[in-house]
Amino acid sequence: MLKAFLTRPTYNTPLLTEMLLAEGIEVEVRSEPSVCPEHILKQKISEVDALLTHTEDRIDESLLELASAKLKVISNMGIGYSNIDVAAATKRGITVTNTPTEEAFEATAEATVAMLLAIARRIPALHLERKSMDHDPDPSFLRPTATSVREKVTGVVGMGRIGSRVAKTMHLGFDNQIQYYDLLSKPELESSLGARQVSLSDLMKTSDFIVVNMPLSKESHGLLSAEMINLMQDHATFINTARSELVDEEALVDRLNAGTLHGAGLDVYGNAVNKITAENIALTSHFANFEDRAYTDMTQLVANNVIATLTTGHALTPVKE
């Protein structure tokens, strides 16, 4: 019987194991919910036909050197796959797959808009204020106000499958003007939403809301530099549900703590966020697409990628370096 190893329980482990067993693939599931230790990965990668990973599992070349000749597929649970050395896997004839389901894109777009609304309306700050008291705060027009969302300008950094959904929601739902920065023009969105392609500096200077949905690459690493962060208007709201490495977080934290931004919603971030003293902040720990519909689809795609690779030699969603 073909063998697979799942590095830790996933969203719907019974569904996953049932799908694989139906195709003659036996699954060993590590019972602990934590990230899989390296010594266990070293043991299992030398034994199985399929390795089922999560984006926190580091699969580098030194680990792949221990892979069994039987290992044909590493099926990663997530849209991203930067945790896997794809070139090293490909060199050894191992297919790497990810889970770019439509539901995952929808979920991340919804989370992006949800954080934008929460920060604009100062919900995190209001929540923290009330939690620190045993009564409602005194009403006063001297208090910081929320900012309206309707009829504003949303700047989308990365008008891809997630960014385009955010743009559509903000335009049709809140009558926002849409401007975007992307390496490619999007004529269909320019036609349907009246979106304008602009330079990154213009977007940062003139947007009320800035949402970052651009994939991480060598070209985009550090794209939102300190110079770009400092171009934002004082009333701007900044949202990042893409990758933390796109942003100079020290510069962002400096602006937040100085009170020269309305607030920020970050699903992805580094250690710099531990220095934030501002209150109108939402940190969601890389859970933007963590919802029932998205993760059910992703679980099924993890299984179907394994099944397709082991039975036909062709994965459904292979990734390339």
Side-chain angles (χ1 to χ4, degrees):
M1 180 176 276
L2 296 168
K3 293 188 176 182
F5 176 69
L6 176 61
T7 60
R8 59 185 168 92
T10 196
Y11 174 70
N12 191 336
T13 305
L15 172 64
L16 178 71
T17 56
E18 181 182 341
M19 290 177 67
L20 292 176
L21 280 172
E23 299 296 330
I25 303 167
E26 183 180 32
V27 189
E28 178 185 352
V29 181
R30 176 173 163 267
S31 59
E32 296 297 319
S34 57
V35 176
C36 190
E38 185 179 19
H39 72 275
I40 295 178
L41 286 171
K42 286 180 176 179
Q43 176 191 345
K44 297 304 176 182
I45 203 170
S46 67
E47 301 173 350
V48 297
D49 303 275
L51 187 64
L52 282 60
T53 56
H54 298 79
T55 52
E56 299 80 12
D57 297 316
R58 182 170 174 77
I59 313 297
D60 58 18
E61 184 161 22
S62 63
L63 184 66
L64 288 163
E65 287 174 353
L66 305 176
S68 164
K70 300 191 304 177
L71 183 64
K72 298 302 179 188
V73 58
I74 300 172
S75 188
N76 206 45
M77 178 77 157
I79 298 172
Y81 49 88
S82 58
N83 58 306
I84 302 172
D85 189 332
V86 178
T90 302
K91 182 171 65 177
R92 291 167 173 80
I94 302 166
T95 298
V96 177
T97 67
N98 66 339
T99 55
T101 70
E102 290 300 312
E103 293 290 354
F105 298 133
E106 295 284 3
T108 304
E110 284 184 11
T112 302
V113 174
M115 282 205 290
L116 188 160
L117 296 176
I119 298 301
R121 304 303 308 184
R122 299 192 74 252
I123 291 172
L126 293 169
H127 173 77
L128 284 174
E129 180 183 48
R130 181 60 182 85
K131 286 283 286 184
S132 69
M133 307 169 69
D134 59 6
H135 56 84
D136 284 350
D138 293 333
S140 170
F141 288 104
L142 300 179
R143 293 163 52 83
T145 62
T147 185
S148 61
V149 178
R150 58 200 177 278
E151 300 173 351
K152 292 293 184 67
V153 177
T154 295
V156 180
V157 181
M159 190 69 103
R161 289 175 289 191
I162 297 170
S164 60
R165 287 169 163 84
V166 173
K168 181 178 179 181
T169 301
M170 294 306 295
H171 178 68
L172 299 179
F174 297 97
D175 199 21
N176 272 213
Q177 297 176 42
I178 304 299
Q179 53 189 17
Y180 70 96
Y181 170 79
D182 200 285
L183 301 179
L184 301 174
S185 61
K186 308 290 181 176
E188 69 284 357
L189 294 172
E190 292 175 12
S191 175
S192 62
L193 304 180
R196 294 189 308 121
Q197 186 174 20
V198 299
S199 69
L200 183 59
S201 59
D202 282 348
L203 183 148
M204 300 299 284
K205 285 188 289 188
T206 61
S207 298
D208 300 299
F209 308 121
I210 292 134
V211 296
V212 183
N213 296 116
M214 180 166 279
L216 179 65
S217 66
K218 291 178 182 176
E219 293 73 26
S220 65
H221 192 283
L223 177 70
L224 294 160
S225 62
E227 179 184 2
M228 291 297 160
I229 293 297
N230 289 326
L231 290 177
M232 287 189 286
Q233 302 176 84
D234 289 357
H235 69 261
T237 291
F238 183 87
I239 308 295
N240 184 10
T241 55
R243 290 290 182 269
S244 62
E245 295 89 345
L246 296 165
V247 180
D248 185 324
E249 288 189 342
E250 294 286 349
L252 178 63
V253 170
D254 286 347
R255 287 211 60 182
L256 290 166
N257 288 348
T260 59
L261 283 179
H262 183 70
L266 306 174
D267 186 57
V268 289
Y269 43 81
N271 291 332
V273 299
N274 295 325
K275 304 174 186 176
I276 294 175
T277 56
E279 294 184 337
N280 197 30
I281 304 296
L283 304 176
T284 54
S285 309
H286 210 166
F287 280 98
N289 67 2
F290 193 63
E291 55 144 66
D292 48 4
R293 285 174 61 173
Y295 265 65
T296 296
D297 273 17
M298 292 166 71
T299 298
Q300 291 172 323
L301 186 52
V302 166
N304 284 326
N305 268 317
V306 170
I307 293 165
T309 305
L310 294 184
T311 59
T312 71
H314 299 287
L316 301 179
T317 55
V319 300
K320 294 181 174 61
E321 179 62 26

